[in-house]
Amino acid sequence: MLRLEVPTEVETDTKRDVVSLLGKVYDPAGFITPYVTPLKVLLQDIWIAGHGWDEVIPEDLKTRAVAAVEHLGGARELELPRWLKTTKTSSVTLHCFVDASLRLYAGVIYVRTETPTGVVTNLLASKARLVPPNLKQGGFSPRFELLACVLGSRLVAAVQVSLE
């Protein structure tokens, strides 16, 4: 089992602190995307509010930052299998799911392995993208759903190449 290292005991008083925290999280496969996304949304809100790099953020944003860091700490509890439990007699299928909201769009891929002894499903990869602030005002959900589909198809293509 693979255990993830995530930062602990960090300060989130300024925009620089939040960016520094996000820079410390390395997750190329997207295993902890649900844990990192609230921090990214918070950073976007800090940026939109126009706060400086070393300016102390307001109390409401600081409260959200503390909650996001606590949520990120939950990623330490994850245990990820390194082996997908595939054999020559197993049937392997990839399943991609995408979704979007007015704040972000995301895609996730699961691998489903069917063997004579049973079925095993594992998270394989995920990606999430924030909607740019200029699109949120005039944006509409179907456009973001299409962006999620593009993200999901690119994720599937990348996973298929890496699995071969």
Side-chain angles (χ1 to χ4, degrees):
M1 291 287 179
L2 174 67
R3 295 189 65 84
L4 300 170
E5 294 293 324
V6 293
T8 58
E9 300 298 323
V10 294
E11 293 201 19
T12 53
D13 294 334
T14 65
K15 180 166 54 171
R16 188 179 310 275
D17 293 336
V18 175
V19 170
S20 175
L21 174 61
L22 279 171
K24 292 176 184 176
V25 178
Y26 180 67
D27 183 32
F31 291 128
I32 60 172
T33 297
Y35 294 96
V36 176
T37 302
L39 271 173
K40 291 181 178 181
V41 170
L42 172 71
L43 179 61
Q44 188 181 56
D45 290 344
I46 293 171
W47 201 276
I48 290 170
H51 297 291
W53 284 101
D54 296 317
E55 178 184 335
V56 176
I57 59 177
E59 200 59 41
D60 61 329
L61 292 175
K62 197 179 292 188
T63 304
R64 284 180 50 201
V66 169
V69 169
E70 287 175 3
H71 184 65
L72 180 63
R76 278 184 255 122
E77 308 295 321
L78 294 177
E79 291 185 355
L80 304 167
R82 292 179 182 230
W83 179 50
L84 298 177
K85 298 179 177 55
T86 60
T87 62
K88 290 184 179 187
T89 60
S90 61
S91 168
V92 178
T93 55
L94 295 178
H95 297 267
C96 179
F97 301 96
V98 297
D99 199 9
S101 71
L102 294 176
R103 293 297 310 253
L104 62 106
Y105 53 96
V108 63
I109 296 181
Y110 289 93
V111 61
R112 182 179 185 269
T113 309
E114 191 172 338
T115 64
T117 59
V119 175
V120 178
T121 306
N122 289 311
L123 172 67
L124 198 55
S126 70
K127 293 287 179 196
R129 300 280 184 258
L130 294 181
V131 173
N134 58 345
L135 289 181
K136 274 193 270 191
Q137 295 154 357
F140 53 97
S141 185
R143 178 178 182 174
F144 305 143
E145 291 286 344
L146 290 173
L147 286 170
C149 290
V150 170
L151 179 74
S153 66
R154 290 179 180 165
L155 192 57
V156 166
V159 165
Q160 285 176 332
V161 166
S162 68
L163 288 180
E164 289 180 16

Coordinates of all heavy atoms in Angstrom, one line a residue, residues 52-132:
G52 N -3.1 41.4 -1.5 CA -1.7 41.3 -1.9 C -1.0 40.0 -1.4 O -1.6 39.3 -0.6
W53 N 0.2 39.8 -1.8 CA 0.9 38.5 -1.5 C 1.1 38.4 0.0 O 1.0 37.3 0.6 CB 2.2 38.5 -2.2 CG 2.0 38.1 -3.6 CD1 2.1 38.9 -4.7 CD2 1.8 36.8 -4.2 NE1 1.8 38.2 -5.9 CE2 1.7 36.9 -5.6 CE3 1.6 35.5 -3.6 CZ2 1.4 35.8 -6.4 CZ3 1.4 34.5 -4.4 CH2 1.3 34.6 -5.8
D54 N 1.5 39.5 0.7 CA 1.8 39.4 2.1 C 0.8 40.1 3.0 O 1.0 40.4 4.1 CB 3.2 40.1 2.3 CG 4.3 39.2 1.6 OD1 4.2 38.0 1.7 OD2 5.2 39.8 1.0
E55 N -0.3 40.5 2.4 CA -1.4 41.1 3.1 C -2.2 40.0 3.9 O -2.5 38.9 3.3 CB -2.4 41.8 2.1 CG -3.6 42.5 2.7 CD -4.4 43.1 1.6 OE1 -3.9 43.4 0.5 OE2 -5.6 43.2 1.8
V56 N -2.5 40.3 5.1 CA -3.3 39.3 5.9 C -4.7 39.2 5.3 O -5.4 40.2 5.1 CB -3.3 39.7 7.4 CG1 -4.2 38.7 8.2 CG2 -1.9 39.7 7.9
I57 N -5.2 38.0 5.1 CA -6.5 37.8 4.4 C -7.6 38.0 5.5 O -7.3 37.8 6.7 CB -6.6 36.4 3.8 CG1 -6.4 35.3 4.7 CG2 -5.6 36.3 2.6 CD1 -6.6 33.9 4.2
P58 N -8.8 38.4 5.1 CA -9.9 38.6 6.0 C -10.2 37.4 6.8 O -9.9 36.2 6.4 CB -11.0 39.1 5.2 CG -10.4 39.5 3.9 CD -9.2 38.7 3.7
E59 N -10.9 37.5 7.9 CA -11.2 36.4 8.8 C -12.1 35.4 8.2 O -11.9 34.2 8.4 CB -12.0 37.0 10.1 CG -11.9 36.1 11.3 CD -10.5 35.8 11.7 OE1 -9.6 36.7 11.7 OE2 -10.3 34.6 12.0
D60 N -13.0 35.7 7.3 CA -13.9 34.7 6.6 C -13.1 33.8 5.7 O -13.2 32.6 5.7 CB -15.0 35.3 5.9 CG -14.6 36.3 4.8 OD1 -13.5 36.9 4.9 OD2 -15.3 36.3 3.7
L61 N -12.1 34.4 5.0 CA -11.2 33.6 4.1 C -10.3 32.8 5.0 O -9.9 31.6 4.6 CB -10.5 34.5 3.1 CG -11.3 35.1 2.1 CD1 -10.5 36.1 1.2 CD2 -12.0 34.1 1.2
K62 N -9.8 33.3 6.1 CA -8.9 32.6 7.0 C -9.6 31.4 7.6 O -9.0 30.3 7.7 CB -8.4 33.5 8.1 CG -7.1 33.0 8.7 CD -6.6 33.9 9.8 CE -6.1 35.2 9.2 NZ -5.5 36.1 10.2
T63 N -10.9 31.5 7.9 CA -11.6 30.4 8.5 C -11.8 29.3 7.4 O -11.6 28.1 7.7 CB -13.1 30.9 8.9 OG1 -12.9 31.9 9.8 CG2 -13.8 29.7 9.5
R64 N -12.0 29.7 6.2 CA -12.1 28.7 5.1 C -10.7 28.0 4.9 O -10.7 26.9 4.5 CB -12.5 29.4 3.8 CG -14.0 29.7 3.7 CD -14.5 30.3 2.5 NE -14.0 29.7 1.3 CZ -13.9 30.2 0.1 NH1 -14.3 31.5 -0.1 NH2 -13.5 29.6 -1.0
A65 N -9.7 28.8 5.0 CA -8.3 28.3 4.8 C -8.0 27.2 5.9 O -7.5 26.1 5.6 CB -7.3 29.4 4.9
V66 N -8.4 27.5 7.1 CA -8.1 26.5 8.2 C -8.9 25.3 8.0 O -8.4 24.1 8.1 CB -8.5 27.2 9.6 CG1 -8.5 26.1 10.7 CG2 -7.5 28.3 9.9
A67 N -10.2 25.4 7.5 CA -11.0 24.2 7.2 C -10.4 23.4 6.1 O -10.4 22.2 6.1 CB -12.4 24.7 6.9
A68 N -9.9 24.1 5.0 CA -9.3 23.4 3.9 C -8.1 22.7 4.3 O -7.8 21.6 3.8 CB -9.0 24.4 2.8
V69 N -7.2 23.3 5.2 CA -6.0 22.6 5.6 C -6.4 21.3 6.4 O -5.8 20.3 6.3 CB -5.1 23.5 6.4 CG1 -4.0 22.8 7.1 CG2 -4.5 24.6 5.5
E70 N -7.4 21.5 7.3 CA -7.9 20.3 8.0 C -8.4 19.2 7.1 O -8.1 18.0 7.3 CB -8.9 20.7 9.0 CG -8.4 21.5 10.2 CD -9.5 22.0 11.1 OE1 -10.7 21.7 10.9 OE2 -9.2 22.7 12.1
H71 N -9.1 19.6 6.1 CA -9.6 18.7 5.1 C -8.5 18.0 4.3 O -8.5 16.8 4.1 CB -10.6 19.4 4.1 CG -11.2 18.5 3.1 ND1 -12.1 17.5 3.5 CD2 -11.1 18.4 1.8 CE1 -12.6 16.9 2.4 NE2 -12.0 17.4 1.4
L72 N -7.4 18.7 4.0 CA -6.3 18.2 3.3 C -5.6 17.1 4.2 O -5.0 16.2 3.7 CB -5.3 19.3 3.0 CG -4.0 18.9 2.3 CD1 -4.3 18.3 0.9 CD2 -3.1 20.1 2.1
G73 N -5.6 17.3 5.5 CA -5.0 16.4 6.4 C -5.7 15.0 6.3 O -5.1 14.0 6.7
G74 N -6.9 14.9 5.9 CA -7.6 13.7 5.7 C -7.0 12.8 4.7 O -7.1 11.5 4.6
A75 N -6.2 13.4 3.8 CA -5.5 12.6 2.7 C -4.4 11.7 3.3 O -4.0 10.7 2.7 CB -4.8 13.5 1.7
R76 N -4.0 12.0 4.6 CA -3.0 11.1 5.2 C -3.5 9.7 5.6 O -2.8 8.8 5.7 CB -2.5 11.8 6.5 CG -1.4 12.8 6.2 CD -0.8 13.4 7.5 NE -1.4 14.7 7.6 CZ -2.1 15.2 8.6 NH1 -2.4 14.5 9.6 NH2 -2.6 16.4 8.5
E77 N -4.9 9.7 5.6 CA -5.5 8.4 6.0 C -5.7 7.5 4.8 O -6.0 6.3 5.0 CB -6.9 8.7 6.6 CG -6.9 9.7 7.7 CD -6.2 9.2 8.9 OE1 -6.3 8.0 9.2 OE2 -5.5 10.0 9.5
L78 N -5.4 8.0 3.6 CA -5.6 7.1 2.4 C -4.5 6.1 2.3 O -3.4 6.4 2.5 CB -5.6 8.0 1.1 CG -6.8 9.0 1.0 CD1 -6.6 9.8 -0.3 CD2 -8.1 8.3 0.9
E79 N -4.9 4.9 1.8 CA -4.0 3.9 1.5 C -4.3 3.5 0.0 O -5.4 3.0 -0.2 CB -4.1 2.7 2.4 CG -3.6 3.0 3.8 CD -3.6 1.8 4.7 OE1 -4.0 0.7 4.3 OE2 -3.1 1.9 5.8
L80 N -3.3 3.6 -0.9 CA -3.6 3.3 -2.3 C -2.8 2.1 -2.7 O -1.6 2.0 -2.5 CB -3.1 4.5 -3.1 CG -3.8 5.8 -2.7 CD1 -3.0 7.0 -3.4 CD2 -5.2 5.8 -3.1
P81 N -3.5 1.1 -3.3 CA -2.8 -0.1 -3.7 C -1.9 0.2 -4.9 O -2.2 1.0 -5.8 CB -4.0 -1.1 -4.1 CG -5.1 -0.2 -4.5 CD -4.9 1.1 -3.6
R82 N -0.7 -0.5 -4.9 CA 0.2 -0.3 -6.1 C -0.1 -1.3 -7.2 O 0.3 -1.1 -8.3 CB 1.6 -0.5 -5.6 CG 2.1 0.6 -4.7 CD 3.5 0.4 -4.2 NE 3.9 1.4 -3.3 CZ 5.0 2.0 -3.4 NH1 5.8 1.8 -4.3 NH2 5.3 2.9 -2.5
W83 N -0.8 -2.3 -6.9 CA -1.1 -3.4 -7.9 C -2.6 -3.3 -8.2 O -3.4 -3.3 -7.3 CB -0.7 -4.7 -7.3 CG -0.9 -5.9 -8.2 CD1 -0.6 -6.0 -9.5 CD2 -1.6 -7.1 -7.9 NE1 -1.0 -7.2 -10.1 CE2 -1.6 -7.9 -9.1 CE3 -2.1 -7.6 -6.7 CZ2 -2.2 -9.2 -9.1 CZ3 -2.7 -8.9 -6.8 CH2 -2.7 -9.6 -7.9
L84 N -2.9 -3.4 -9.4 CA -4.3 -3.3 -9.9 C -5.0 -4.7 -9.9 O -6.2 -4.8 -10.3 CB -4.5 -2.7 -11.3 CG -4.0 -1.3 -11.3 CD1 -4.0 -0.8 -12.8 CD2 -4.7 -0.4 -10.4
K85 N -4.3 -5.7 -9.4 CA -4.9 -7.1 -9.3 C -5.3 -7.7 -10.6 O -6.4 -8.3 -10.7 CB -6.0 -7.1 -8.3 CG -5.6 -6.7 -6.9 CD -6.7 -6.7 -5.9 CE -6.3 -6.4 -4.5 NZ -5.6 -5.2 -4.2
T86 N -4.5 -7.4 -11.6 CA -4.8 -7.9 -13.0 C -4.0 -9.2 -13.2 O -2.8 -9.3 -12.8 CB -4.5 -6.9 -14.1 OG1 -3.1 -6.6 -14.0 CG2 -5.4 -5.7 -13.9
T87 N -4.6 -10.2 -13.9 CA -3.9 -11.4 -14.3 C -4.3 -11.7 -15.7 O -5.1 -10.9 -16.3 CB -4.3 -12.6 -13.4 OG1 -5.7 -12.8 -13.6 CG2 -4.0 -12.3 -11.9
K88 N -3.7 -12.7 -16.3 CA -4.0 -13.0 -17.7 C -5.4 -13.5 -17.9 O -6.0 -13.4 -18.9 CB -3.0 -14.1 -18.2 CG -1.6 -13.6 -18.3 CD -0.7 -14.7 -18.9 CE 0.7 -14.1 -19.0 NZ 1.6 -15.0 -19.7
T89 N -6.0 -14.0 -16.8 CA -7.4 -14.4 -16.9 C -8.4 -13.4 -16.5 O -9.6 -13.7 -16.5 CB -7.6 -15.7 -16.0 OG1 -7.3 -15.4 -14.7 CG2 -6.7 -16.8 -16.5
S90 N -8.0 -12.2 -16.1 CA -8.9 -11.2 -15.6 C -9.4 -10.3 -16.7 O -8.7 -10.1 -17.7 CB -8.3 -10.4 -14.5 OG -7.1 -9.7 -15.0
S91 N -10.6 -9.8 -16.6 CA -11.2 -8.9 -17.5 C -11.0 -7.4 -16.9 O -11.5 -7.2 -15.8 CB -12.7 -9.2 -17.7 OG -13.3 -8.2 -18.4
V92 N -10.4 -6.5 -17.7 CA -10.1 -5.2 -17.2 C -10.8 -4.2 -18.0 O -10.7 -4.2 -19.2 CB -8.6 -4.9 -17.2 CG1 -8.3 -3.5 -16.7 CG2 -7.8 -5.9 -16.4
T93 N -11.6 -3.3 -17.4 CA -12.3 -2.2 -18.1 C -12.0 -0.9 -17.3 O -11.8 -0.9 -16.1 CB -13.8 -2.4 -18.1 OG1 -14.3 -2.6 -16.8 CG2 -14.1 -3.6 -19.0
L94 N -11.9 0.2 -18.1 CA -11.7 1.5 -17.6 C -13.1 2.2 -17.6 O -13.8 2.1 -18.5 CB -10.7 2.3 -18.4 CG -9.3 1.9 -18.5 CD1 -8.5 2.8 -19.4 CD2 -8.7 1.8 -17.1
H95 N -13.3 2.9 -16.5 CA -14.6 3.7 -16.4 C -14.2 5.1 -16.1 O -13.6 5.4 -15.1 CB -15.5 3.1 -15.3 CG -15.9 1.7 -15.6 ND1 -17.1 1.4 -16.3 CD2 -15.3 0.5 -15.4 CE1 -17.2 0.1 -16.4 NE2 -16.1 -0.5 -15.9
C96 N -14.7 6.1 -16.9 CA -14.4 7.5 -16.8 C -15.7 8.2 -16.4 O -16.7 8.0 -17.1 CB -13.8 8.1 -18.0 SG -13.5 9.8 -17.9
F97 N -15.7 9.0 -15.4 CA -16.8 9.8 -15.0 C -16.4 11.3 -15.0 O -15.3 11.6 -14.6 CB -17.3 9.4 -13.6 CG -17.7 8.0 -13.5 CD1 -16.8 7.0 -13.1 CD2 -19.0 7.6 -13.9 CE1 -17.2 5.7 -13.0 CE2 -19.4 6.3 -13.8 CZ -18.5 5.3 -13.4
V98 N -17.2 12.2 -15.5 CA -16.9 13.6 -15.5 C -18.1 14.4 -14.9 O -19.3 13.9 -15.0 CB -16.6 14.1 -16.9 CG1 -15.3 13.5 -17.4 CG2 -17.7 13.9 -17.9
D99 N -17.9 15.6 -14.4 CA -18.9 16.4 -13.9 C -18.4 17.8 -13.9 O -17.2 18.1 -13.9 CB -19.4 16.0 -12.5 CG -20.8 16.5 -12.2 OD1 -21.5 17.1 -13.1 OD2 -21.2 16.4 -11.0
A100 N -19.4 18.8 -13.8 CA -19.0 20.2 -13.8 C -20.0 21.0 -12.9 O -21.1 20.6 -12.7 CB -19.0 20.7 -15.2
S101 N -19.5 22.1 -12.4 CA -20.3 23.0 -11.7 C -19.9 24.4 -12.2 O -19.1 24.5 -13.1 CB -20.1 22.9 -10.2 OG -18.9 23.4 -9.8
L102 N -20.4 25.5 -11.6 CA -20.1 26.8 -12.0 C -18.7 27.2 -11.5 O -18.2 28.2 -11.8 CB -21.1 27.8 -11.6 CG -22.5 27.7 -12.3 CD1 -23.5 28.6 -11.8 CD2 -22.3 27.8 -13.8
R103 N -18.1 26.4 -10.6 CA -16.8 26.7 -10.0 C -15.7 25.8 -10.6 O -14.5 26.3 -10.7 CB -16.8 26.5 -8.5 CG -17.7 27.4 -7.7 CD -17.3 28.8 -7.7 NE -15.9 29.2 -7.5 CZ -15.4 29.8 -6.4 NH1 -16.1 30.0 -5.4 NH2 -14.1 30.1 -6.3
L104 N -16.0 24.6 -10.9 CA -14.9 23.7 -11.4 C -15.5 22.6 -12.2 O -16.7 22.3 -12.2 CB -14.1 23.1 -10.3 CG -14.8 22.3 -9.2 CD1 -14.4 20.8 -9.4 CD2 -14.3 22.7 -7.9
Y105 N -14.7 21.9 -13.0 CA -15.1 20.7 -13.7 C -14.0 19.7 -13.5 O -12.8 20.0 -13.2 CB -15.3 21.0 -15.2 CG -14.2 21.6 -15.9 CD1 -13.2 20.9 -16.6 CD2 -14.0 23.0 -15.9 CE1 -12.2 21.5 -17.3 CE2 -13.0 23.6 -16.6 CZ -12.1 22.9 -17.3 OH -11.1 23.5 -17.9
A106 N -14.4 18.4 -13.5 CA -13.5 17.3 -13.1 C -13.8 16.0 -13.8 O -14.9 15.8 -14.4 CB -13.5 17.1 -11.6
G107 N -12.8 15.1 -13.8 CA -12.9 13.8 -14.4 C -12.2 12.8 -13.5 O -11.1 13.2 -12.9
V108 N -12.6 11.6 -13.5 CA -12.0 10.5 -12.7 C -12.1 9.2 -13.5 O -13.0 9.0 -14.2 CB -12.7 10.4 -11.3 CG1 -14.1 10.0 -11.5 CG2 -11.9 9.4 -10.4
I109 N -11.0 8.4 -13.3 CA -11.0 7.1 -14.0 C -10.8 6.0 -12.9 O -10.0 6.1 -12.1 CB -9.8 7.0 -15.0 CG1 -10.1 8.0 -16.1 CG2 -9.7 5.6 -15.6 CD1 -9.0 8.0 -17.2
Y110 N -11.7 5.0 -13.1 CA -11.6 3.8 -12.2 C -11.2 2.6 -13.1 O -11.6 2.6 -14.3 CB -12.9 3.5 -11.5 CG -13.2 4.5 -10.4 CD1 -14.0 5.6 -10.7 CD2 -12.8 4.3 -9.1 CE1 -14.3 6.5 -9.7 CE2 -13.1 5.2 -8.1 CZ -13.8 6.3 -8.4 OH -14.1 7.2 -7.4
V111 N -10.5 1.7 -12.6 CA -10.2 0.5 -13.3 C -11.0 -0.6 -12.6 O -11.0 -0.7 -11.4 CB -8.7 0.1 -13.4 CG1 -8.1 -0.1 -12.1 CG2 -8.5 -1.1 -14.3
R112 N -11.8 -1.4 -13.4 CA -12.6 -2.5 -12.8 C -12.0 -3.8 -13.3 O -11.9 -4.0 -14.5 CB -14.0 -2.4 -13.3 CG -14.9 -3.4 -12.7 CD -16.4 -3.2 -13.3 NE -17.3 -4.1 -12.7 CZ -17.6 -5.3 -13.2 NH1 -17.1 -5.7 -14.3 NH2 -18.5 -6.1 -12.6
T113 N -11.5 -4.6 -12.4 CA -10.9 -5.9 -12.7 C -11.8 -7.0 -12.2 O -12.2 -7.1 -11.1 CB -9.6 -6.0 -12.0 OG1 -8.8 -4.8 -12.3 CG2 -8.8 -7.2 -12.4
E114 N -12.2 -7.8 -13.2 CA -13.1 -9.0 -12.9 C -12.3 -10.3 -13.1 O -11.8 -10.6 -14.1 CB -14.3 -9.0 -13.9 CG -15.4 -9.9 -13.5 CD -16.6 -9.7 -14.4 OE1 -16.8 -8.7 -15.0 OE2 -17.4 -10.7 -14.5
T115 N -12.2 -11.0 -12.0 CA -11.5 -12.3 -11.9 C -12.4 -13.4 -11.5 O -13.5 -13.1 -11.1 CB -10.3 -12.2 -10.9 OG1 -10.8 -12.0 -9.6 CG2 -9.3 -11.1 -11.3
P116 N -12.0 -14.6 -11.6 CA -12.9 -15.7 -11.2 C -13.2 -15.6 -9.7 O -14.2 -16.1 -9.2 CB -12.0 -17.0 -11.4 CG -11.1 -16.6 -12.5 CD -10.8 -15.1 -12.3
T117 N -12.4 -14.9 -8.9 CA -12.6 -14.8 -7.5 C -13.5 -13.6 -7.1 O -13.9 -13.5 -5.9 CB -11.3 -14.7 -6.7 OG1 -10.6 -13.6 -7.1 CG2 -10.5 -16.0 -6.9
G118 N -13.7 -12.7 -8.0 CA -14.5 -11.5 -7.7 C -14.2 -10.3 -8.5 O -13.4 -10.4 -9.4
V119 N -14.8 -9.2 -8.1 CA -14.6 -7.9 -8.8 C -13.9 -6.9 -7.9 O -14.2 -6.8 -6.7 CB -15.9 -7.3 -9.3 CG1 -15.7 -6.0 -9.9 CG2 -16.6 -8.3 -10.3
V120 N -12.8 -6.3 -8.4 CA -12.1 -5.2 -7.7 C -12.1 -3.9 -8.5 O -11.9 -3.9 -9.7 CB -10.7 -5.7 -7.4 CG1 -9.9 -4.6 -6.7 CG2 -10.6 -7.0 -6.7
T121 N -12.4 -2.8 -7.8 CA -12.5 -1.5 -8.4 C -11.5 -0.6 -7.7 O -11.5 -0.6 -6.5 CB -13.9 -0.9 -8.4 OG1 -14.8 -1.8 -8.9 CG2 -13.9 0.4 -9.1
N122 N -10.6 0.1 -8.5 CA -9.6 1.0 -7.9 C -9.6 2.3 -8.6 O -9.8 2.4 -9.9 CB -8.2 0.4 -8.0 CG -8.0 -0.8 -7.1 OD1 -8.3 -0.7 -6.0 ND2 -7.5 -1.9 -7.7
L123 N -9.4 3.4 -7.9 CA -9.2 4.7 -8.5 C -7.8 4.7 -9.2 O -6.8 4.2 -8.7 CB -9.1 5.7 -7.3 CG -8.7 7.1 -7.8 CD1 -9.8 7.8 -8.7 CD2 -8.5 8.0 -6.5
L124 N -7.9 5.1 -10.4 CA -6.6 5.1 -11.2 C -6.1 6.5 -11.4 O -4.9 6.7 -11.3 CB -6.9 4.5 -12.6 CG -5.8 4.0 -13.4 CD1 -4.9 3.0 -12.6 CD2 -6.2 3.3 -14.7
A125 N -6.9 7.5 -11.7 CA -6.5 8.9 -11.9 C -7.6 9.8 -11.9 O -8.8 9.4 -12.1 CB -5.8 9.0 -13.3
S126 N -7.3 11.1 -11.6 CA -8.4 12.1 -11.6 C -7.7 13.5 -11.8 O -6.5 13.7 -11.6 CB -9.2 12.1 -10.3 OG -8.4 12.6 -9.2
K127 N -8.5 14.4 -12.4 CA -8.1 15.7 -12.6 C -9.2 16.7 -12.4 O -10.4 16.3 -12.6 CB -7.6 15.9 -14.1 CG -6.4 15.2 -14.5 CD -5.1 15.8 -13.8 CE -3.9 15.0 -14.2 NZ -2.8 15.3 -13.4
A128 N -8.9 17.9 -11.9 CA -10.0 18.9 -11.7 C -9.4 20.2 -12.1 O -8.2 20.5 -11.9 CB -10.4 18.9 -10.2
R129 N -10.2 21.0 -12.7 CA -9.8 22.4 -13.2 C -10.8 23.4 -12.7 O -12.0 23.1 -12.7 CB -9.8 22.4 -14.7 CG -8.8 21.5 -15.4 CD -7.4 22.0 -15.3 NE -6.5 21.1 -16.0 CZ -5.7 20.3 -15.5 NH1 -5.7 20.1 -14.2 NH2 -4.9 19.5 -16.2
L130 N -10.3 24.5 -12.2 CA -11.2 25.6 -11.8 C -11.6 26.3 -13.0 O -10.9 26.5 -14.0 CB -10.4 26.5 -10.9 CG -10.0 26.0 -9.5 CD1 -9.3 27.1 -8.7 CD2 -11.2 25.5 -8.8
V131 N -12.9 26.8 -13.0 CA -13.4 27.7 -14.1 C -12.7 29.1 -13.9 O -12.7 29.6 -12.8 CB -14.9 27.8 -14.0 CG1 -15.5 28.8 -15.0 CG2 -15.5 26.4 -14.2
P132 N -12.2 29.6 -15.0 CA -11.6 31.0 -14.9 C -12.6 32.0 -14.5 O -13.8 31.9 -14.8 CB -11.1 31.2 -16.3 CG -10.9 29.9 -16.9 CD -12.0 29.0 -16.3

